[in-house]
Amino acid sequence: VDLSMGPLQRLGRLGTHAGIVFMRLLAPLPLPWVRFLGVCLGYVLYAVVLPRRRVVHTNLALCFPALSAAERRALARQTFVYFAQTWLDRSWLWHAAPERVRQRLQLVGSVEALTGDAPVLVFAPHFVGLDAGWTALTQQLPRRFATIYTGQAERLLDGWILAGRARF
């Protein structure tokens, strides 16, 4: 126990440990189970994370003014579900057997542009599937990659994320 931390910090660190253990336990589950858990988590997050929900609703209203309020609400809920599913995907992306990861990920598009050793710059927007795309590239293409990363304030979480992203 690190006595230099306050009780809330220790509780947060314990929660981070528990979260990482939970993700390791999800890794061997069939993908439909992980997806279902993501649906459940997404609906819970939509219900309880009010500040983020307001941001999503505002953005959707600005970007899609022609949609009805009901259509935007449905889109917002689906956004939370996709976010939760892709967060839980990190369980198998970072902890499942490499063969399982390869079975679930498929590179499509102009993949031949990434072959060889000539320098290539890839712009990959930070959307919900970023970690799956990065894992597929680093696992399935025989070349070196570099990325830009902003560290997390919680050191334990930061280490887990960095290890997952550097896995292959």
Side-chain angles (χ1 to χ4, degrees), residues 74-97:
L75 204 62
R77 280 191 301 274
Q78 191 63 52
T79 299
F80 275 78
V81 166
Y82 287 155
F83 170 81
Q85 287 176 327
T86 58
W87 181 258
L88 296 180
D89 279 348
R90 287 163 176 87
S91 66
W92 59 268
L93 287 168
W94 296 348
H95 300 291

Side-chain angles (χ1 to χ4, degrees), residues 116-149:
D117 54 2
V120 176
L121 184 61
V122 177
F123 290 100
H126 196 283
F127 295 130
V128 292
L130 176 69
D131 283 305
W134 177 254
T135 300
L137 287 173
T138 58
Q139 183 192 39
Q140 299 176 21
L141 293 179
R143 70 176 300 149
R144 294 182 55 186
F145 290 93
T147 187
I148 297 171
Y149 174 75

Side-chain angles (χ1 to χ4, degrees), residues 10-97:
R10 284 195 297 275
L11 184 61
R13 192 168 187 88
L14 180 62
T16 301
H17 274 291
I20 293 171
V21 168
F22 174 73
M23 294 295 271
R24 288 180 183 274
L25 292 173
L26 285 182
L29 293 180
L31 191 55
W33 293 19
V34 177
R35 289 286 183 263
F36 175 75
L37 289 172
V39 170
C40 296
L41 179 59
Y43 280 115
V44 168
L45 291 174
Y46 180 81
V48 300
V49 186
L50 299 178
R52 183 56 51 190
R53 185 172 73 199
R54 279 190 217 97
V55 168
V56 170
H57 281 289
T58 299
N59 288 343
L60 290 173
L62 291 170
C63 293
F64 302 104
L67 293 181
S68 70
E71 290 171 318
R72 287 194 302 269
R73 274 193 305 278
L75 204 62
R77 280 191 301 274
Q78 191 63 52
T79 299
F80 275 78
V81 166
Y82 287 155
F83 170 81
Q85 287 176 327
T86 58
W87 181 258
L88 296 180
D89 279 348
R90 287 163 176 87
S91 66
W92 59 268
L93 287 168
W94 296 348
H95 300 291

